[in-house]
């Protein structure tokens, strides 16, 4: 049941990021729902399910939609890893930690894409405008999206809401 | 009972620490290996290329899924667009459309087919006027989600005769170039992509120059920059039409690209002018990959 729910969450995130937001012309300020999802998943369930899922989904999406392989997979993987750093270190009710992590991961993704673009000879007009009108709103909205997703995910996927898992004491 | 718990907890704590340490090491190793593998893939997949076996297989499986998803997302986008239409005319239009849909669904389908037919006729007419002898029409089934790169996925590939670096057009003008090809799908890099440069000429004056895509977060996201015009370019005016020059052989000569929107008068600026493409990249549906023909410079 959990796996099915997780698959549905991933599908919904793909629908938002790759079909709905570009279709509505919102790609300049749209949050990265995938990053929000993987950060939340990693905070709740740790690196083991989150990192491989993030890398695999990223690779598939790169083949289907993106310019080069790794364009999504690397940022998703890093986002999942960043989320996993906080696994069982904070109470699951805390939505600030995943939100801030997701916002930071989204900003890192923007920097990664910008660096790859500049390295491949791409032209960029107005770095400040890019920062203020694209990178910052995308990061903040991704953080907000992560807070919402985290509220939903923890309801369905969380094993334990205690910082010190009782299983370790058995 | 309290004493008992106290005696257990320190050893349990050590156990937790050891397990966490081992788990962290394992996670780090897995992540480092994954990152290294991904980086290798990035380097290998950079630039125009034919898809390898794994990419081809994944792309072939994904193509029908993308086709269905593209139709679904189109319907969802239309729903949201209608939802935010608030003027009287829009509301009236929506009501009439709804009534029409209720009365006769098949009429709508016929209308859609008629429109598609019109678009294809326009595309064919444009291709003929540009001297293109042979092309493959394909449907857009996916687009890159990032603004940094402007890539489209089409539902036709090498099995239909499409190859790397073939130009892609629509009825409005030049769309881009094939940058990756699989057996049943291909990826097109749009001319507005920040890494793409197109040799063009001013239709009126016949001056040759270079149009370059650019990433800009403000204003028109499809805006392109114009470089390398002759030093005396005082007669370039907003509204001038730019067509492909055919120089370099990548794009056939005479395909419309866009119009000049702003001429830079400052000598310090390396940019000569800004142009707006004819093609509406947000609403591309059917495209033609030029497989043969077209005059080159």
């Amino acid at each position: 049941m959990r796996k099915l729910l997780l698959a549905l969450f991933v599908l919904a995130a793909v629908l938002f990021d790759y079909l709905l937001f570009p279709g509505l012309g919102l790609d300049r300020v749209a949050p990265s729902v995938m990053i929000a999802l993987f950060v939340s998943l990693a905070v709740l369930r740790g690196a083991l399910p989150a990192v491989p899922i993030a890398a695999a989904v990223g690779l598939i999406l790169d083949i289907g939609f993106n310019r080069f392989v790794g364009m999504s997979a690397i940022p998703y993987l890093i986002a999942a890893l960043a989320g996993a750093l906080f696994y069982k270190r904070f109470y699951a009710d805390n939505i600030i930690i995943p939100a801030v992590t997701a916002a930071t991961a989204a900003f890192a993704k923007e920097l990664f894409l910008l660096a790859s673009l500049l390295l491949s000879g791409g032209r960029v007009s107005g770095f400040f405008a890019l920062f203020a009108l694209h990178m910052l709103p995308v990061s903040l909205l991704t953080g907000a999206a992560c807070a919402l997703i985290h509220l939903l995910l923890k309801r369905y996927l969380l094993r334990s809401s205690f910082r010190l898992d009782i299983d370790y004491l058995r | 009972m309290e004493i008992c718990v106290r005696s257990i907890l320190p050893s349990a704590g050590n156990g937790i620490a050891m397990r966490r340490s081992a788990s962290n090491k394992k996670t780090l190793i897995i992540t480092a290996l994954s990152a290294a593998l991904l980086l290798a893939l990035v380097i290998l997949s950079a630039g125009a290329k034919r898809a390898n076996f794994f990419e081809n297989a994944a792309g072939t499986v994904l193509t029908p899924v993308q086709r269905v998803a593209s139709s679904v997302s189109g319907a969802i986008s239309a729903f949201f667009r209608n939802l935010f239409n608030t003027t009287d005319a829009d509301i009236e239009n929506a009501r009439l459309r709804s009534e029409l849909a209720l009365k006769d669904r098949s009429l709508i389908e016929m209308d859609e087919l008629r429109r598609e037919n019109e678009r294809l006729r326009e595309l064919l007419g444009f291709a003929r006027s540009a001297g293109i002898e042979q092309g493959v029409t394909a449907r857009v089934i996916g687009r890159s989600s990032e603004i940094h790169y402007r890539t489209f996925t089409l539902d036709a590939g090498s099995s239909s005769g499409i190859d790397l670096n073939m130009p892609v057009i629509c009825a409005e003008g030049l769309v881009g170039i094939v940058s990756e090809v699989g057996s049943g799908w291909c990826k097109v890099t749009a001319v507005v992509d920040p890494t793409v440069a197109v040799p063009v000429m001013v239709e009126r004056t016949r001056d040759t120059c270079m149009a370059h895509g650019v990433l800009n977060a403000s204003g028109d996201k499809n805006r392109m920059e114009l470089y390398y015009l002759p030093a005396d370019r005082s007669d370039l005016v907003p509204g001038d039409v730019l067509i492909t020059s055919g120089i370099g052989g990548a794009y056939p000569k005479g395909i419309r690209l866009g119009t000049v929107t702003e001429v830079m008068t400052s000598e310090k600026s390396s940019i000569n002018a800004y142009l707006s493409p004819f093609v509406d990249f947000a609403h591309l549906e059917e495209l033609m990959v030029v497989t043969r023909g077209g005059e080159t410079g």
Side-chain angles (χ1 to χ4, degrees):
Chain A
M1 189 62 183
R2 273 183 187 152
K3 283 176 185 169
L4 183 68
L5 274 170
L6 188 59
L8 285 175
F9 270 108
V10 172
L11 272 177
V14 172
L15 189 73
F16 273 103
D17 272 5
Y18 286 85
L19 300 167
L20 201 57
F21 290 145
L24 291 169
L26 296 173
D27 42 359
R28 268 184 183 171
V29 289
S32 176
V33 182
M34 298 295 285
I35 282 186
L37 177 66
F38 291 133
V39 167
S40 179
L41 180 67
V43 170
L44 290 172
R45 300 291 301 273
L48 196 57
V51 172
I53 291 173
V57 172
L59 278 174
I60 291 168
L61 291 173
D62 285 339
I63 292 169
F65 295 96
N66 291 324
R67 170 72 74 81
F68 58 86
V69 174
M71 189 175 143
S72 300
I74 289 176
Y76 294 168
L77 187 145
I78 290 168
L81 191 67
L85 291 176
F86 301 106
Y87 176 52
K88 285 187 177 173
R89 281 179 170 75
F90 293 89
Y91 289 104
D93 285 339
N94 189 336
I95 59 167
I96 304 293
I97 295 290
V100 171
T101 310
T104 312
F107 193 76
K109 181 193 176 189
E110 291 298 322
L111 289 177
F112 167 72
L113 290 175
L114 187 62
S116 75
L117 180 67
L118 292 172
L119 285 172
S120 56
R123 298 194 67 84
V124 180
S125 165
F127 282 96
F128 181 74
L130 189 69
F131 172 77
L133 299 173
H134 175 67
M135 293 167 85
L136 205 58
V138 165
S139 305
L140 293 175
L141 286 171
T142 304
C146 185
L148 287 174
I149 290 170
H150 196 71
L151 287 173
L152 283 172
L153 268 188
K154 80 170 178 169
R155 190 185 168 93
Y156 297 112
L157 296 179
L158 193 62
R159 278 180 185 157
S160 167
S161 60
F162 295 106
R163 186 178 174 187
L164 189 63
D165 196 332
I166 200 75
D167 289 343
Y168 284 116
L169 293 172
R170 285 181 182 163
Chain B
M1 187 62 194
E2 196 183 336
I3 294 163
C4 183
V5 169
R6 274 181 188 166
S7 65
I8 289 169
L9 272 177
S11 61
N14 288 341
I16 291 166
M18 282 174 71
R19 277 187 223 178
R20 272 194 183 164
S21 171
S23 169
N24 285 347
K25 271 185 188 170
K26 200 175 164 186
T27 307
L28 274 174
I29 290 167
I30 290 170
T31 308
L33 284 174
S34 310
L37 187 68
L38 281 171
L39 272 175
L41 281 170
V42 170
I43 293 161
L44 287 172
S45 73
K49 64 179 182 66
R50 284 178 186 83
N52 60 36
F53 173 77
F54 294 107
E55 286 176 325
N56 209 3
T60 307
V61 173
L62 273 177
T63 303
V65 179
Q66 281 180 293
R67 203 175 288 147
V68 173
S70 176
S71 321
V72 171
S73 78
I76 295 171
S77 300
F79 169 77
F80 278 107
R81 270 197 294 273
N82 289 338
L83 202 66
F84 294 116
N85 284 340
T86 51
T87 64
D88 289 347
D90 288 332
I91 293 165
E92 180 71 6
N93 193 19
R95 192 180 62 79
L96 289 171
R97 275 178 187 276
S98 160
E99 278 179 15
L100 195 67
L102 284 169
K103 280 179 183 168
D104 195 350
R105 194 177 181 84
S106 65
L107 203 65
I108 306 244
E109 286 170 3
M110 277 171 64
D111 192 45
E112 185 58 35
L113 284 172
R114 184 180 56 78
R115 283 182 192 173
E116 187 179 341
N117 196 15
E118 275 174 13
R119 286 197 300 269
L120 289 171
R121 272 177 192 276
E122 278 176 28
L123 184 57
L124 199 60
F126 176 72
R128 279 183 185 150
S129 69
I132 290 158
E133 295 166 16
Q134 201 175 329
V136 176
T137 54
R139 194 181 292 267
V140 177
I141 53 167
R143 61 189 76 215
S144 177
S145 67
E146 302 298 335
I147 64 165
H148 303 76
Y149 296 97
R150 309 289 294 276
T151 312
F152 301 98
T153 310
L154 306 184
D155 65 350
S158 56
S159 57
S160 310
I162 294 172
D163 208 347
L164 284 176
N165 299 322
M166 285 179 167
V168 181
I169 60 167
C170 70
E172 286 80 36
L174 185 65
V175 172
I177 196 159
V178 176
S179 55
E180 192 176 344
V181 63
S183 63
W185 54 276
C186 68
K187 284 186 194 168
V188 176
T189 302
V191 287
V192 289
D193 186 283
T195 60
V196 171
V198 184
V200 291
M201 68 163 69
V202 183
E203 194 176 34
R204 183 173 56 84
T205 62
R206 317 306 284 179
D207 285 331
T208 56
C209 47
M210 192 70 83
H212 209 301
V214 63
L215 170 64
N216 64 328
S218 57
D220 181 11
K221 68 178 173 185
N222 293 329
R223 189 176 72 172
M224 296 177 78
E225 293 173 347
L226 210 60
Y227 292 88
Y228 310 128
L229 264 175
D232 177 24
R233 55 175 193 274
S234 57
D235 54 347
L236 185 72
V237 290
D240 270 341
V241 173
L242 289 147
I243 57 172
T244 50
S245 64
I247 293 171
Y251 301 95
K253 189 177 178 180
I255 299 177
R256 298 187 309 159
L257 181 68
T259 53
V260 174
T261 53
E262 188 183 348
V263 180
M264 305 300 286
T265 48
S266 169
E267 289 297 323
K268 286 178 185 172
S269 174
S270 60
I271 304 163
N272 298 143
Y274 290 109
L275 66 134
S276 175
F278 289 119
V279 175
D280 178 7
F281 288 92
H283 300 102
L284 287 175
E285 289 179 74
E286 292 91 13
L287 304 178
M288 180 185 274
V289 182
V290 180
T291 52
R292 200 177 67 195
E295 185 190 347
T296 55

